[in-house]
Amino acid sequence: MAHPSQLGFQDAASPVMEELLHFHDHALMIVFLISTLVLYIIVAMVSTKLTNKYILDSQEIEIIWTILPAIILILIALPSLRILYLMDEINDPHLTIKAVGHQWYWSYEYTDYEDLGFDSYMIPTQDLAPGQFRLLEADHRMVIPVESPIRILISADDVLHSWAVPSLGVKMDAVPGRLNQTAFIASRPGVFYGQCSEICGANHSFMPIVVEAVPLEHFENWSSLMLEDA
């Protein structure tokens, strides 16, 4: 999860997020090189009194500074489009979960099970146990198996919400009357935190998302206990 004075992204916990981090570094390097070149040209133009008629009026240079930006844009666009299509791929999910946004909590339904669903509310600050995070902990976590394709169906009951977990590379709007879907694979066990990312009213800041990725055996034990309690 994020920590104070962090400059970069959270550690990737899914293959898609790893691709997004690599693309970020790729694009940032291009921006850094462009900024360095522009800064050098500005400093050179300001600090010298010499002029060159071939620079001021040169068809070859005009061709270069027209073609070069086009090549740079292609180098950015192709990886971006590749990741965009990867994020839309949903191939044979092992588990489907429906997440519904309410004012101001989330409800989850495991549609592959007959009667497995629950509401997830934020734990108030005064009820937090030692080591828990303020505004991020929920009384019921969305538990998923590790290294399994998970499909999330996302909707809302009242107003616009957004289901977002940065370390998994997932962010999808929850729209009343509409069912959006996205997918991810948790590549390692852990607890991953997110929050509603669409302003949805007075308590928008108080509807966290907690995803707990566990080994398949632990997930089966958890689902059996939940079904018994239901």
Side-chain angles (χ1 to χ4, degrees), residues 95-102 106-120 141-143 150-155 157 163 179 219 222:
L95 182 68
T96 299
I97 303 172
K98 183 179 179 183
V100 181
H102 307 267
W106 293 96
S107 61
Y108 298 101
E109 301 172 19
Y110 288 70
T111 58
D112 298 290
Y113 296 83
E114 187 173 343
D115 190 22
L116 179 52
F118 50 84
D119 295 332
S120 179
R141 294 173 172 177
M142 191 186 92
V143 181
I150 309 296
R151 175 172 57 188
I152 305 289
L153 304 176
I154 301 168
S155 186
D157 185 50
W163 199 86
L179 203 60
F219 173 78
W222 171 84

PDB file of all heavy atoms in Angstrom, residues 95-102 106-120 141-143 150-155 157 163 179 219 222:
ATOM      1  N   LEU A  95     -13.485 -17.150 -11.147  1.00  0.00           N
ATOM      2  CA  LEU A  95     -14.411 -16.667 -10.127  1.00  0.00           C
ATOM      3  C   LEU A  95     -15.009 -15.340 -10.587  1.00  0.00           C
ATOM      4  O   LEU A  95     -14.297 -14.497 -11.130  1.00  0.00           O
ATOM      5  CB  LEU A  95     -13.669 -16.492  -8.792  1.00  0.00           C
ATOM      6  CG  LEU A  95     -14.478 -16.045  -7.577  1.00  0.00           C
ATOM      7  CD1 LEU A  95     -15.452 -17.135  -7.159  1.00  0.00           C
ATOM      8  CD2 LEU A  95     -13.552 -15.699  -6.415  1.00  0.00           C
ATOM      9  N   THR A  96     -16.301 -15.181 -10.375  1.00  0.00           N
ATOM     10  CA  THR A  96     -16.983 -13.928 -10.715  1.00  0.00           C
ATOM     11  C   THR A  96     -17.577 -13.323  -9.447  1.00  0.00           C
ATOM     12  O   THR A  96     -18.279 -14.004  -8.694  1.00  0.00           O
ATOM     13  CB  THR A  96     -18.102 -14.167 -11.749  1.00  0.00           C
ATOM     14  OG1 THR A  96     -17.525 -14.686 -12.951  1.00  0.00           O
ATOM     15  CG2 THR A  96     -18.818 -12.861 -12.068  1.00  0.00           C
ATOM     16  N   ILE A  97     -17.275 -12.053  -9.232  1.00  0.00           N
ATOM     17  CA  ILE A  97     -17.772 -11.346  -8.042  1.00  0.00           C
ATOM     18  C   ILE A  97     -18.497 -10.090  -8.512  1.00  0.00           C
ATOM     19  O   ILE A  97     -17.978  -9.349  -9.358  1.00  0.00           O
ATOM     20  CB  ILE A  97     -16.623 -10.964  -7.092  1.00  0.00           C
ATOM     21  CG1 ILE A  97     -15.833 -12.205  -6.685  1.00  0.00           C
ATOM     22  CG2 ILE A  97     -17.160 -10.247  -5.854  1.00  0.00           C
ATOM     23  CD1 ILE A  97     -14.566 -11.892  -5.911  1.00  0.00           C
ATOM     24  N   LYS A  98     -19.673  -9.865  -7.965  1.00  0.00           N
ATOM     25  CA  LYS A  98     -20.423  -8.650  -8.277  1.00  0.00           C
ATOM     26  C   LYS A  98     -20.254  -7.658  -7.136  1.00  0.00           C
ATOM     27  O   LYS A  98     -20.550  -7.972  -5.984  1.00  0.00           O
ATOM     28  CB  LYS A  98     -21.906  -8.970  -8.484  1.00  0.00           C
ATOM     29  CG  LYS A  98     -22.733  -7.758  -8.882  1.00  0.00           C
ATOM     30  CD  LYS A  98     -24.189  -8.141  -9.087  1.00  0.00           C
ATOM     31  CE  LYS A  98     -25.033  -6.932  -9.465  1.00  0.00           C
ATOM     32  NZ  LYS A  98     -26.462  -7.292  -9.595  1.00  0.00           N
ATOM     33  N   ALA A  99     -19.736  -6.467  -7.447  1.00  0.00           N
ATOM     34  CA  ALA A  99     -19.541  -5.404  -6.460  1.00  0.00           C
ATOM     35  C   ALA A  99     -20.544  -4.290  -6.741  1.00  0.00           C
ATOM     36  O   ALA A  99     -20.582  -3.766  -7.861  1.00  0.00           O
ATOM     37  CB  ALA A  99     -18.115  -4.872  -6.514  1.00  0.00           C
ATOM     38  N   VAL A 100     -21.335  -3.953  -5.746  1.00  0.00           N
ATOM     39  CA  VAL A 100     -22.358  -2.917  -5.900  1.00  0.00           C
ATOM     40  C   VAL A 100     -22.066  -1.788  -4.922  1.00  0.00           C
ATOM     41  O   VAL A 100     -21.912  -2.017  -3.713  1.00  0.00           O
ATOM     42  CB  VAL A 100     -23.768  -3.482  -5.649  1.00  0.00           C
ATOM     43  CG1 VAL A 100     -24.819  -2.382  -5.828  1.00  0.00           C
ATOM     44  CG2 VAL A 100     -24.059  -4.651  -6.577  1.00  0.00           C
ATOM     45  N   GLY A 101     -21.976  -0.573  -5.437  1.00  0.00           N
ATOM     46  CA  GLY A 101     -21.708   0.597  -4.607  1.00  0.00           C
ATOM     47  C   GLY A 101     -22.991   1.195  -4.054  1.00  0.00           C
ATOM     48  O   GLY A 101     -23.989   1.319  -4.774  1.00  0.00           O
ATOM     49  N   HIS A 102     -22.965   1.539  -2.780  1.00  0.00           N
ATOM     50  CA  HIS A 102     -24.091   2.188  -2.111  1.00  0.00           C
ATOM     51  C   HIS A 102     -23.552   3.429  -1.408  1.00  0.00           C
ATOM     52  O   HIS A 102     -22.352   3.578  -1.225  1.00  0.00           O
ATOM     53  CB  HIS A 102     -24.738   1.262  -1.079  1.00  0.00           C
ATOM     54  CG  HIS A 102     -25.128  -0.088  -1.600  1.00  0.00           C
ATOM     55  ND1 HIS A 102     -26.383  -0.374  -2.096  1.00  0.00           N
ATOM     56  CD2 HIS A 102     -24.410  -1.245  -1.697  1.00  0.00           C
ATOM     57  CE1 HIS A 102     -26.431  -1.639  -2.469  1.00  0.00           C
ATOM     58  NE2 HIS A 102     -25.249  -2.194  -2.247  1.00  0.00           N
ATOM     59  N   TRP A 106     -19.867  -0.860   0.266  1.00  0.00           N
ATOM     60  CA  TRP A 106     -19.874  -1.787  -0.871  1.00  0.00           C
ATOM     61  C   TRP A 106     -20.544  -3.090  -0.460  1.00  0.00           C
ATOM     62  O   TRP A 106     -20.428  -3.517   0.687  1.00  0.00           O
ATOM     63  CB  TRP A 106     -18.440  -2.085  -1.345  1.00  0.00           C
ATOM     64  CG  TRP A 106     -17.746  -0.911  -1.929  1.00  0.00           C
ATOM     65  CD1 TRP A 106     -16.884  -0.065  -1.293  1.00  0.00           C
ATOM     66  CD2 TRP A 106     -17.833  -0.432  -3.274  1.00  0.00           C
ATOM     67  NE1 TRP A 106     -16.435   0.901  -2.154  1.00  0.00           N
ATOM     68  CE2 TRP A 106     -16.999   0.708  -3.374  1.00  0.00           C
ATOM     69  CE3 TRP A 106     -18.536  -0.848  -4.401  1.00  0.00           C
ATOM     70  CZ2 TRP A 106     -16.849   1.422  -4.562  1.00  0.00           C
ATOM     71  CZ3 TRP A 106     -18.392  -0.135  -5.587  1.00  0.00           C
ATOM     72  CH2 TRP A 106     -17.563   0.978  -5.659  1.00  0.00           C
ATOM     73  N   SER A 107     -21.238  -3.707  -1.396  1.00  0.00           N
ATOM     74  CA  SER A 107     -21.752  -5.058  -1.165  1.00  0.00           C
ATOM     75  C   SER A 107     -21.184  -5.974  -2.240  1.00  0.00           C
ATOM     76  O   SER A 107     -21.009  -5.571  -3.396  1.00  0.00           O
ATOM     77  CB  SER A 107     -23.284  -5.074  -1.185  1.00  0.00           C
ATOM     78  OG  SER A 107     -23.771  -4.649  -2.440  1.00  0.00           O
ATOM     79  N   TYR A 108     -20.864  -7.207  -1.838  1.00  0.00           N
ATOM     80  CA  TYR A 108     -20.221  -8.176  -2.731  1.00  0.00           C
ATOM     81  C   TYR A 108     -21.067  -9.439  -2.812  1.00  0.00           C
ATOM     82  O   TYR A 108     -21.554  -9.939  -1.790  1.00  0.00           O
ATOM     83  CB  TYR A 108     -18.813  -8.523  -2.227  1.00  0.00           C
ATOM     84  CG  TYR A 108     -17.880  -7.333  -2.195  1.00  0.00           C
ATOM     85  CD1 TYR A 108     -17.613  -6.667  -0.994  1.00  0.00           C
ATOM     86  CD2 TYR A 108     -17.276  -6.856  -3.359  1.00  0.00           C
ATOM     87  CE1 TYR A 108     -16.768  -5.571  -0.957  1.00  0.00           C
ATOM     88  CE2 TYR A 108     -16.433  -5.754  -3.332  1.00  0.00           C
ATOM     89  CZ  TYR A 108     -16.186  -5.119  -2.127  1.00  0.00           C
ATOM     90  OH  TYR A 108     -15.351  -4.028  -2.090  1.00  0.00           O
ATOM     91  N   GLU A 109     -21.223  -9.942  -4.025  1.00  0.00           N
ATOM     92  CA  GLU A 109     -21.936 -11.203  -4.253  1.00  0.00           C
ATOM     93  C   GLU A 109     -21.033 -12.121  -5.061  1.00  0.00           C
ATOM     94  O   GLU A 109     -20.583 -11.753  -6.156  1.00  0.00           O
ATOM     95  CB  GLU A 109     -23.240 -10.950  -5.017  1.00  0.00           C
ATOM     96  CG  GLU A 109     -24.217 -10.006  -4.327  1.00  0.00           C
ATOM     97  CD  GLU A 109     -25.393  -9.658  -5.227  1.00  0.00           C
ATOM     98  OE1 GLU A 109     -25.632 -10.415  -6.208  1.00  0.00           O
ATOM     99  OE2 GLU A 109     -26.057  -8.644  -4.971  1.00  0.00           O
ATOM    100  N   TYR A 110     -20.773 -13.313  -4.524  1.00  0.00           N
ATOM    101  CA  TYR A 110     -19.994 -14.320  -5.234  1.00  0.00           C
ATOM    102  C   TYR A 110     -20.981 -15.146  -6.064  1.00  0.00           C
ATOM    103  O   TYR A 110     -21.633 -16.066  -5.559  1.00  0.00           O
ATOM    104  CB  TYR A 110     -19.213 -15.186  -4.248  1.00  0.00           C
ATOM    105  CG  TYR A 110     -18.058 -14.469  -3.594  1.00  0.00           C
ATOM    106  CD1 TYR A 110     -18.272 -13.455  -2.665  1.00  0.00           C
ATOM    107  CD2 TYR A 110     -16.742 -14.796  -3.913  1.00  0.00           C
ATOM    108  CE1 TYR A 110     -17.215 -12.785  -2.068  1.00  0.00           C
ATOM    109  CE2 TYR A 110     -15.669 -14.124  -3.320  1.00  0.00           C
ATOM    110  CZ  TYR A 110     -15.924 -13.125  -2.399  1.00  0.00           C
ATOM    111  OH  TYR A 110     -14.858 -12.455  -1.801  1.00  0.00           O
ATOM    112  N   THR A 111     -21.101 -14.805  -7.333  1.00  0.00           N
ATOM    113  CA  THR A 111     -22.185 -15.347  -8.152  1.00  0.00           C
ATOM    114  C   THR A 111     -22.011 -16.826  -8.493  1.00  0.00           C
ATOM    115  O   THR A 111     -22.958 -17.461  -8.939  1.00  0.00           O
ATOM    116  CB  THR A 111     -22.310 -14.544  -9.468  1.00  0.00           C
ATOM    117  OG1 THR A 111     -21.062 -14.599 -10.180  1.00  0.00           O
ATOM    118  CG2 THR A 111     -22.629 -13.088  -9.177  1.00  0.00           C
ATOM    119  N   ASP A 112     -20.804 -17.383  -8.295  1.00  0.00           N
ATOM    120  CA  ASP A 112     -20.602 -18.801  -8.546  1.00  0.00           C
ATOM    121  C   ASP A 112     -21.129 -19.657  -7.394  1.00  0.00           C
ATOM    122  O   ASP A 112     -21.197 -20.876  -7.518  1.00  0.00           O
ATOM    123  CB  ASP A 112     -19.114 -19.100  -8.772  1.00  0.00           C
ATOM    124  CG  ASP A 112     -18.569 -18.367  -9.987  1.00  0.00           C
ATOM    125  OD1 ASP A 112     -18.954 -18.739 -11.103  1.00  0.00           O
ATOM    126  OD2 ASP A 112     -17.785 -17.419  -9.809  1.00  0.00           O
ATOM    127  N   TYR A 113     -21.468 -19.019  -6.270  1.00  0.00           N
ATOM    128  CA  TYR A 113     -22.015 -19.719  -5.110  1.00  0.00           C
ATOM    129  C   TYR A 113     -23.493 -19.351  -4.965  1.00  0.00           C
ATOM    130  O   TYR A 113     -23.921 -18.279  -5.371  1.00  0.00           O
ATOM    131  CB  TYR A 113     -21.254 -19.355  -3.836  1.00  0.00           C
ATOM    132  CG  TYR A 113     -19.801 -19.782  -3.852  1.00  0.00           C
ATOM    133  CD1 TYR A 113     -18.834 -18.996  -4.474  1.00  0.00           C
ATOM    134  CD2 TYR A 113     -19.402 -20.959  -3.250  1.00  0.00           C
ATOM    135  CE1 TYR A 113     -17.496 -19.387  -4.498  1.00  0.00           C
ATOM    136  CE2 TYR A 113     -18.067 -21.366  -3.261  1.00  0.00           C
ATOM    137  CZ  TYR A 113     -17.130 -20.572  -3.888  1.00  0.00           C
ATOM    138  OH  TYR A 113     -15.818 -20.958  -3.907  1.00  0.00           O
ATOM    139  N   GLU A 114     -24.231 -20.247  -4.366  1.00  0.00           N
ATOM    140  CA  GLU A 114     -25.679 -20.052  -4.306  1.00  0.00           C
ATOM    141  C   GLU A 114     -26.070 -18.903  -3.391  1.00  0.00           C
ATOM    142  O   GLU A 114     -26.958 -18.119  -3.713  1.00  0.00           O
ATOM    143  CB  GLU A 114     -26.349 -21.348  -3.843  1.00  0.00           C
ATOM    144  CG  GLU A 114     -27.873 -21.285  -3.919  1.00  0.00           C
ATOM    145  CD  GLU A 114     -28.522 -22.620  -3.635  1.00  0.00           C
ATOM    146  OE1 GLU A 114     -27.809 -23.649  -3.700  1.00  0.00           O
ATOM    147  OE2 GLU A 114     -29.731 -22.640  -3.353  1.00  0.00           O
ATOM    148  N   ASP A 115     -25.415 -18.804  -2.244  1.00  0.00           N
ATOM    149  CA  ASP A 115     -25.820 -17.774  -1.281  1.00  0.00           C
ATOM    150  C   ASP A 115     -24.595 -17.246  -0.529  1.00  0.00           C
ATOM    151  O   ASP A 115     -24.462 -17.435   0.676  1.00  0.00           O
ATOM    152  CB  ASP A 115     -26.835 -18.362  -0.294  1.00  0.00           C
ATOM    153  CG  ASP A 115     -27.465 -17.284   0.581  1.00  0.00           C
ATOM    154  OD1 ASP A 115     -27.446 -16.109   0.171  1.00  0.00           O
ATOM    155  OD2 ASP A 115     -27.951 -17.617   1.680  1.00  0.00           O
ATOM    156  N   LEU A 116     -23.711 -16.596  -1.258  1.00  0.00           N
ATOM    157  CA  LEU A 116     -22.503 -16.039  -0.644  1.00  0.00           C
ATOM    158  C   LEU A 116     -22.405 -14.560  -1.015  1.00  0.00           C
ATOM    159  O   LEU A 116     -22.099 -14.206  -2.157  1.00  0.00           O
ATOM    160  CB  LEU A 116     -21.259 -16.792  -1.114  1.00  0.00           C
ATOM    161  CG  LEU A 116     -19.907 -16.297  -0.561  1.00  0.00           C
ATOM    162  CD1 LEU A 116     -19.935 -16.192   0.954  1.00  0.00           C
ATOM    163  CD2 LEU A 116     -18.778 -17.212  -1.009  1.00  0.00           C
ATOM    164  N   GLY A 117     -22.712 -13.721  -0.060  1.00  0.00           N
ATOM    165  CA  GLY A 117     -22.662 -12.285  -0.274  1.00  0.00           C
ATOM    166  C   GLY A 117     -22.647 -11.568   1.064  1.00  0.00           C
ATOM    167  O   GLY A 117     -23.069 -12.116   2.083  1.00  0.00           O
ATOM    168  N   PHE A 118     -22.155 -10.328   1.059  1.00  0.00           N
ATOM    169  CA  PHE A 118     -22.062  -9.576   2.305  1.00  0.00           C
ATOM    170  C   PHE A 118     -21.872  -8.101   1.983  1.00  0.00           C
ATOM    171  O   PHE A 118     -21.500  -7.734   0.870  1.00  0.00           O
ATOM    172  CB  PHE A 118     -20.903 -10.081   3.175  1.00  0.00           C
ATOM    173  CG  PHE A 118     -19.592 -10.206   2.441  1.00  0.00           C
ATOM    174  CD1 PHE A 118     -18.754  -9.107   2.287  1.00  0.00           C
ATOM    175  CD2 PHE A 118     -19.209 -11.422   1.885  1.00  0.00           C
ATOM    176  CE1 PHE A 118     -17.557  -9.215   1.602  1.00  0.00           C
ATOM    177  CE2 PHE A 118     -18.005 -11.532   1.195  1.00  0.00           C
ATOM    178  CZ  PHE A 118     -17.181 -10.429   1.064  1.00  0.00           C
ATOM    179  N   ASP A 119     -22.140  -7.276   2.979  1.00  0.00           N
ATOM    180  CA  ASP A 119     -21.872  -5.840   2.880  1.00  0.00           C
ATOM    181  C   ASP A 119     -20.539  -5.542   3.544  1.00  0.00           C
ATOM    182  O   ASP A 119     -20.145  -6.187   4.507  1.00  0.00           O
ATOM    183  CB  ASP A 119     -22.980  -5.033   3.570  1.00  0.00           C
ATOM    184  CG  ASP A 119     -24.320  -5.204   2.876  1.00  0.00           C
ATOM    185  OD1 ASP A 119     -24.323  -5.456   1.654  1.00  0.00           O
ATOM    186  OD2 ASP A 119     -25.364  -5.103   3.558  1.00  0.00           O
ATOM    187  N   SER A 120     -19.839  -4.544   3.020  1.00  0.00           N
ATOM    188  CA  SER A 120     -18.516  -4.186   3.523  1.00  0.00           C
ATOM    189  C   SER A 120     -18.520  -2.710   3.926  1.00  0.00           C
ATOM    190  O   SER A 120     -18.574  -1.830   3.062  1.00  0.00           O
ATOM    191  CB  SER A 120     -17.455  -4.453   2.445  1.00  0.00           C
ATOM    192  OG  SER A 120     -16.176  -4.097   2.899  1.00  0.00           O
ATOM    193  N   ARG A 141     -13.737  -8.241   4.225  1.00  0.00           N
ATOM    194  CA  ARG A 141     -12.843  -8.119   3.073  1.00  0.00           C
ATOM    195  C   ARG A 141     -13.342  -8.965   1.907  1.00  0.00           C
ATOM    196  O   ARG A 141     -13.979 -10.000   2.113  1.00  0.00           O
ATOM    197  CB  ARG A 141     -11.428  -8.565   3.457  1.00  0.00           C
ATOM    198  CG  ARG A 141     -10.756  -7.662   4.476  1.00  0.00           C
ATOM    199  CD  ARG A 141      -9.436  -8.250   4.933  1.00  0.00           C
ATOM    200  NE  ARG A 141      -8.685  -7.316   5.777  1.00  0.00           N
ATOM    201  CZ  ARG A 141      -7.531  -7.598   6.359  1.00  0.00           C
ATOM    202  NH1 ARG A 141      -6.986  -8.812   6.210  1.00  0.00           N
ATOM    203  NH2 ARG A 141      -6.918  -6.697   7.101  1.00  0.00           N
ATOM    204  N   MET A 142     -13.037  -8.495   0.700  1.00  0.00           N
ATOM    205  CA  MET A 142     -13.317  -9.304  -0.477  1.00  0.00           C
ATOM    206  C   MET A 142     -12.164 -10.296  -0.641  1.00  0.00           C
ATOM    207  O   MET A 142     -11.049  -9.909  -0.992  1.00  0.00           O
ATOM    208  CB  MET A 142     -13.440  -8.423  -1.727  1.00  0.00           C
ATOM    209  CG  MET A 142     -13.978  -9.157  -2.933  1.00  0.00           C
ATOM    210  SD  MET A 142     -13.956  -8.160  -4.434  1.00  0.00           S
ATOM    211  CE  MET A 142     -12.365  -8.607  -5.107  1.00  0.00           C
ATOM    212  N   VAL A 143     -12.404 -11.555  -0.365  1.00  0.00           N
ATOM    213  CA  VAL A 143     -11.360 -12.577  -0.380  1.00  0.00           C
ATOM    214  C   VAL A 143     -11.347 -13.264  -1.744  1.00  0.00           C
ATOM    215  O   VAL A 143     -12.401 -13.644  -2.265  1.00  0.00           O
ATOM    216  CB  VAL A 143     -11.586 -13.607   0.744  1.00  0.00           C
ATOM    217  CG1 VAL A 143     -10.485 -14.661   0.742  1.00  0.00           C
ATOM    218  CG2 VAL A 143     -11.637 -12.906   2.098  1.00  0.00           C
ATOM    219  N   ILE A 150      -9.904 -13.371 -11.996  1.00  0.00           N
ATOM    220  CA  ILE A 150     -11.100 -12.929 -11.277  1.00  0.00           C
ATOM    221  C   ILE A 150     -11.837 -11.905 -12.132  1.00  0.00           C
ATOM    222  O   ILE A 150     -11.232 -10.940 -12.603  1.00  0.00           O
ATOM    223  CB  ILE A 150     -10.744 -12.288  -9.920  1.00  0.00           C
ATOM    224  CG1 ILE A 150      -9.819 -13.196  -9.104  1.00  0.00           C
ATOM    225  CG2 ILE A 150     -12.016 -11.950  -9.146  1.00  0.00           C
ATOM    226  CD1 ILE A 150     -10.406 -14.504  -8.703  1.00  0.00           C
ATOM    227  N   ARG A 151     -13.124 -12.137 -12.337  1.00  0.00           N
ATOM    228  CA  ARG A 151     -13.946 -11.150 -13.058  1.00  0.00           C
ATOM    229  C   ARG A 151     -14.792 -10.387 -12.043  1.00  0.00           C
ATOM    230  O   ARG A 151     -15.436 -10.985 -11.181  1.00  0.00           O
ATOM    231  CB  ARG A 151     -14.854 -11.842 -14.070  1.00  0.00           C
ATOM    232  CG  ARG A 151     -15.826 -10.876 -14.756  1.00  0.00           C
ATOM    233  CD  ARG A 151     -16.574 -11.533 -15.891  1.00  0.00           C
ATOM    234  NE  ARG A 151     -17.313 -12.712 -15.437  1.00  0.00           N
ATOM    235  CZ  ARG A 151     -17.935 -13.561 -16.257  1.00  0.00           C
ATOM    236  NH1 ARG A 151     -17.856 -13.373 -17.562  1.00  0.00           N
ATOM    237  NH2 ARG A 151     -18.593 -14.593 -15.784  1.00  0.00           N
ATOM    238  N   ILE A 152     -14.771  -9.064 -12.141  1.00  0.00           N
ATOM    239  CA  ILE A 152     -15.555  -8.209 -11.252  1.00  0.00           C
ATOM    240  C   ILE A 152     -16.662  -7.536 -12.066  1.00  0.00           C
ATOM    241  O   ILE A 152     -16.380  -6.846 -13.053  1.00  0.00           O
ATOM    242  CB  ILE A 152     -14.680  -7.131 -10.578  1.00  0.00           C
ATOM    243  CG1 ILE A 152     -13.503  -7.771  -9.848  1.00  0.00           C
ATOM    244  CG2 ILE A 152     -15.505  -6.308  -9.603  1.00  0.00           C
ATOM    245  CD1 ILE A 152     -13.879  -8.529  -8.613  1.00  0.00           C
ATOM    246  N   LEU A 153     -17.896  -7.760 -11.666  1.00  0.00           N
ATOM    247  CA  LEU A 153     -19.039  -7.055 -12.248  1.00  0.00           C
ATOM    248  C   LEU A 153     -19.380  -5.906 -11.312  1.00  0.00           C
ATOM    249  O   LEU A 153     -19.604  -6.124 -10.112  1.00  0.00           O
ATOM    250  CB  LEU A 153     -20.232  -7.997 -12.397  1.00  0.00           C
ATOM    251  CG  LEU A 153     -19.992  -9.270 -13.212  1.00  0.00           C
ATOM    252  CD1 LEU A 153     -21.222 -10.160 -13.186  1.00  0.00           C
ATOM    253  CD2 LEU A 153     -19.608  -8.932 -14.640  1.00  0.00           C
ATOM    254  N   ILE A 154     -19.406  -4.701 -11.832  1.00  0.00           N
ATOM    255  CA  ILE A 154     -19.492  -3.505 -10.984  1.00  0.00           C
ATOM    256  C   ILE A 154     -20.718  -2.684 -11.360  1.00  0.00           C
ATOM    257  O   ILE A 154     -20.940  -2.372 -12.538  1.00  0.00           O
ATOM    258  CB  ILE A 154     -18.213  -2.658 -11.122  1.00  0.00           C
ATOM    259  CG1 ILE A 154     -16.991  -3.486 -10.709  1.00  0.00           C
ATOM    260  CG2 ILE A 154     -18.301  -1.395 -10.280  1.00  0.00           C
ATOM    261  CD1 ILE A 154     -15.677  -2.864 -11.076  1.00  0.00           C
ATOM    262  N   SER A 155     -21.499  -2.345 -10.362  1.00  0.00           N
ATOM    263  CA  SER A 155     -22.664  -1.493 -10.570  1.00  0.00           C
ATOM    264  C   SER A 155     -22.872  -0.646  -9.313  1.00  0.00           C
ATOM    265  O   SER A 155     -22.086  -0.720  -8.367  1.00  0.00           O
ATOM    266  CB  SER A 155     -23.902  -2.343 -10.869  1.00  0.00           C
ATOM    267  OG  SER A 155     -25.001  -1.512 -11.215  1.00  0.00           O
ATOM    268  N   ASP A 157     -26.085   1.277  -6.713  1.00  0.00           N
ATOM    269  CA  ASP A 157     -27.491   1.235  -6.318  1.00  0.00           C
ATOM    270  C   ASP A 157     -28.133   2.611  -6.303  1.00  0.00           C
ATOM    271  O   ASP A 157     -29.354   2.728  -6.393  1.00  0.00           O
ATOM    272  CB  ASP A 157     -27.600   0.593  -4.930  1.00  0.00           C
ATOM    273  CG  ASP A 157     -29.035   0.391  -4.489  1.00  0.00           C
ATOM    274  OD1 ASP A 157     -29.805  -0.172  -5.283  1.00  0.00           O
ATOM    275  OD2 ASP A 157     -29.390   0.807  -3.363  1.00  0.00           O
ATOM    276  N   TRP A 163     -14.934   1.660  -8.376  1.00  0.00           N
ATOM    277  CA  TRP A 163     -14.241   0.588  -7.644  1.00  0.00           C
ATOM    278  C   TRP A 163     -12.790   0.583  -8.097  1.00  0.00           C
ATOM    279  O   TRP A 163     -12.495   0.260  -9.251  1.00  0.00           O
ATOM    280  CB  TRP A 163     -14.918  -0.750  -7.945  1.00  0.00           C
ATOM    281  CG  TRP A 163     -14.637  -1.826  -6.959  1.00  0.00           C
ATOM    282  CD1 TRP A 163     -15.294  -2.067  -5.797  1.00  0.00           C
ATOM    283  CD2 TRP A 163     -13.616  -2.835  -7.047  1.00  0.00           C
ATOM    284  NE1 TRP A 163     -14.758  -3.155  -5.152  1.00  0.00           N
ATOM    285  CE2 TRP A 163     -13.725  -3.644  -5.896  1.00  0.00           C
ATOM    286  CE3 TRP A 163     -12.625  -3.122  -7.978  1.00  0.00           C
ATOM    287  CZ2 TRP A 163     -12.890  -4.730  -5.664  1.00  0.00           C
ATOM    288  CZ3 TRP A 163     -11.789  -4.194  -7.751  1.00  0.00           C
ATOM    289  CH2 TRP A 163     -11.920  -4.984  -6.600  1.00  0.00           C
ATOM    290  N   LEU A 179     -24.081  -2.435 -15.841  1.00  0.00           N
ATOM    291  CA  LEU A 179     -23.181  -3.447 -15.295  1.00  0.00           C
ATOM    292  C   LEU A 179     -21.861  -3.394 -16.069  1.00  0.00           C
ATOM    293  O   LEU A 179     -21.788  -3.802 -17.226  1.00  0.00           O
ATOM    294  CB  LEU A 179     -23.820  -4.835 -15.421  1.00  0.00           C
ATOM    295  CG  LEU A 179     -23.314  -5.920 -14.463  1.00  0.00           C
ATOM    296  CD1 LEU A 179     -23.550  -5.528 -13.021  1.00  0.00           C
ATOM    297  CD2 LEU A 179     -23.982  -7.251 -14.768  1.00  0.00           C
ATOM    298  N   PHE A 219      -8.897 -20.046   0.522  1.00  0.00           N
ATOM    299  CA  PHE A 219     -10.127 -19.463  -0.017  1.00  0.00           C
ATOM    300  C   PHE A 219     -11.295 -20.445   0.092  1.00  0.00           C
ATOM    301  O   PHE A 219     -12.414 -20.055   0.448  1.00  0.00           O
ATOM    302  CB  PHE A 219      -9.927 -19.053  -1.479  1.00  0.00           C
ATOM    303  CG  PHE A 219     -11.184 -18.597  -2.152  1.00  0.00           C
ATOM    304  CD1 PHE A 219     -11.680 -17.323  -1.919  1.00  0.00           C
ATOM    305  CD2 PHE A 219     -11.895 -19.452  -2.996  1.00  0.00           C
ATOM    306  CE1 PHE A 219     -12.864 -16.895  -2.523  1.00  0.00           C
ATOM    307  CE2 PHE A 219     -13.070 -19.032  -3.601  1.00  0.00           C
ATOM    308  CZ  PHE A 219     -13.560 -17.758  -3.354  1.00  0.00           C
ATOM    309  N   TRP A 222     -12.443 -20.482   3.645  1.00  0.00           N
ATOM    310  CA  TRP A 222     -13.169 -19.258   3.956  1.00  0.00           C
ATOM    311  C   TRP A 222     -14.588 -19.292   3.379  1.00  0.00           C
ATOM    312  O   TRP A 222     -15.572 -18.959   4.062  1.00  0.00           O
ATOM    313  CB  TRP A 222     -12.412 -18.044   3.416  1.00  0.00           C
ATOM    314  CG  TRP A 222     -13.169 -16.762   3.498  1.00  0.00           C
ATOM    315  CD1 TRP A 222     -13.258 -15.925   4.571  1.00  0.00           C
ATOM    316  CD2 TRP A 222     -13.949 -16.157   2.454  1.00  0.00           C
ATOM    317  NE1 TRP A 222     -14.046 -14.839   4.265  1.00  0.00           N
ATOM    318  CE2 TRP A 222     -14.481 -14.952   2.980  1.00  0.00           C
ATOM    319  CE3 TRP A 222     -14.246 -16.515   1.143  1.00  0.00           C
ATOM    320  CZ2 TRP A 222     -15.299 -14.119   2.228  1.00  0.00           C
ATOM    321  CZ3 TRP A 222     -15.069 -15.684   0.389  1.00  0.00           C
ATOM    322  CH2 TRP A 222     -15.584 -14.500   0.949  1.00  0.00           C
TER     323      TRP A 222
END
